[in-house]
Amino acid sequence: MSRIQRFARRYSGHLIHIAVEEHLAWLVRSLPGPVGVFARWGFYRMLFAKLESLAIFYPGVYLTHCYGIRVGSGFSVNSGALIDGRGGVSIGNDVLIGPYVVINSSEHAHKQLDVPMTSVDHVMAPVRIGDDVWIGAHAVITGGVEIGSGAVIAAGAVVTRDVPPYAIVGGVPASIIGDRREADPPQPPAC
C-alpha cells in the first residue's frame, strides 16, 4: 500500500480538518500584535477539540492535528513552539509553554524491521499536562508522558517519563531537581 493510501486510511475522518489547518494556519501564524493574538485564538478555537477561554498564541506557534488538542483556561504558548495533537494532547488550566517547546503525541513504530523507516506506522501516545504547569524554552515532551499539576519543566529538558505534581525537572533525559512545595534555601545576609 502506498504512503498516500496509508495516510488517507489512517486520517480519513480528519482529512478536511487537516487540509483547513495546513492551508489556512499560515495566514494567521505570523500576524503581529493584539490582532494576531485574537485571530490565532479564533482560528484555533474552531480547530481544537476543546479550547475553554481566550488563549494567547504568540506569533510563530506551529500546531498540527489540532483535532486532538484539548486546552483549559488561562493557556499561553510562546513563539516557535510545536504541538502535534495526532495522538491526543490534553492541557489543563493556567499552563505556560515557553518558546520553541516541542510536544509530540505520537512516534514512529521503529520496531517494524520489515518496513523501511519512511513507511513505518505511527504509534499514538497521548500527552497529559495538568493545571498550573510551566514548560521552559526548548523543552521536549515525548509521547505518552503525563505532567502533574504544578510542575515546572526546566529550559532544554527532554521529558521521557511522567512528572509528579509540583516537581521541578531538568536535564536530558529529565530528572527531578526540586519540588515547588519545598521552602527556598536560606539566602546569605546582604552586606
Side-chain angles (χ1 to χ4, degrees):
M1 181 180 312
S2 77
R3 285 186 225 170
I4 294 171
Q5 289 171 322
R6 285 177 352 130
F7 179 86
R9 188 183 71 213
R10 177 171 287 269
Y11 300 108
S12 63
H14 302 292
L15 289 176
I16 292 173
H17 192 281
I18 292 169
V20 168
E21 180 180 280
E22 286 295 318
H23 289 90
L24 296 179
W26 68 272
L27 292 171
V28 296
R29 190 173 291 131
S30 297
L31 289 174
V35 169
V37 169
F38 281 106
R40 283 184 291 280
W41 169 69
F43 180 71
Y44 290 120
R45 185 176 177 135
M46 290 185 304
L47 294 178
F48 276 25
K50 177 181 136 188
L51 184 58
E52 279 193 10
S53 66
L54 177 62
I56 298 173
F57 297 92
Y58 283 86
V61 170
Y62 194 90
L63 305 168
T64 65
H65 300 274
C66 294
Y67 57 83
I69 302 174
R70 305 176 71 74
V71 176
S73 62
F75 178 65
S76 177
V77 58
N78 213 320
S79 299
L82 168 76
I83 302 173
D84 181 351
R86 180 184 334 238
V89 174
S90 176
I91 300 172
N93 299 320
D94 303 311
V95 173
L96 295 174
I97 295 179
Y100 302 101
V101 166
V102 174
I103 299 174
N104 284 318
S105 61
S106 68
E107 60 184 49
H108 294 284
H110 60 276
K111 293 187 179 183
Q112 287 181 289
L113 302 178
D114 58 330
V115 179
M117 195 58 76
T118 57
S119 299
V120 297
D121 293 324
H122 273 100
V123 177
M124 303 307 165
V127 172
R128 290 176 299 285
I129 300 170
D131 298 334
D132 191 32
V133 170
W134 175 24
I135 302 173
H138 293 275
V140 175
I141 313 298
T142 61
V145 168
E146 182 168 349
I147 298 174
S149 292
V152 173
I153 310 302
V158 177
V159 180
T160 60
R161 295 184 304 260
D162 290 353
V163 175
Y166 300 100
I168 302 169
V169 300
V172 179
S175 60
I176 296 174
I177 58 175
D179 190 306
R180 288 184 60 203
R181 297 168 290 194
E182 294 175 3
D184 289 333
Q187 300 296 317
C191 295

